Amino acid sequence: MPMIAAMPLMIIPFILYNLAMLGLMGDGGIPALQHDIIVLSMISGAIWSMALGDLFIVIALVVLFFEILKATRTGPGNLVNHMLSMLVFIAFLVEFLLVRDAATQVFFILMTIALIDVIGGFAVSIRSAGRDVSIGL
């Protein structure tokens, strides 16, 4: 398995959030999370909008789906992927605790999704590895 395939995808929302805090997506800092990215008029007459922070959460959920799919594969690169996913979660946790701009609901939800990625990845791998072992009883 190529090393790029072992890279945890949850690094994408982590990097996007930090780029937004640095000012590369709008004004920078926490106010950048509240900038509307999508605004639609619904048939009901209501106005639906999605802010940048909401978009980060949607991206993280899509990434989580692909991470769970990756966890179903068996092979030597899976352990590397799980270790790197754990490091990404630790990076989320450390940043949440130590960086002022990371103390937001959006970042907390992203960190929780990273935790679910770690736990879910291990659970799926253990479950699928158990099926790969045939005892012959």
Side-chain angles (χ1 to χ4, degrees), residues 25-97:
M25 296 180 193
D27 297 335
I30 295 172
L33 298 175
Q34 294 148 357
H35 284 270
D36 286 337
I37 301 299
I38 301 170
V39 178
L40 296 173
S41 296
M42 306 303 286
I43 295 173
S44 65
I47 302 293
W48 178 79
S49 64
M50 179 180 282
L52 183 62
D54 302 330
L55 181 62
F56 290 163
I57 293 169
V58 170
I59 290 169
L61 290 170
V62 170
V63 163
L64 178 63
F65 170 73
F66 287 110
E67 282 290 339
I68 297 298
L69 286 179
K70 278 175 40 178
T72 61
R73 294 183 310 196
T74 55
N78 261 4
L79 184 59
V80 173
N81 181 273
H82 294 317
M83 289 188 307
L84 292 174
S85 291
M86 179 64 83
L87 288 176
V88 169
F89 169 69
I90 291 170
F92 267 106
L93 182 61
V94 168
E95 187 168 336
F96 180 70
L97 295 173

Side-chain angles (χ1 to χ4, degrees), residues 11-30 32-33 52 56 95 101 107 110:
I11 195 112
I12 295 169
F14 182 79
I15 291 170
L16 289 175
Y17 186 94
N18 284 296
L19 289 176
M21 292 303 108
L22 291 173
L24 297 175
M25 296 180 193
D27 297 335
I30 295 172
L33 298 175
L52 183 62
F56 290 163
E95 187 168 336
D101 283 347
F107 196 82
L110 294 175

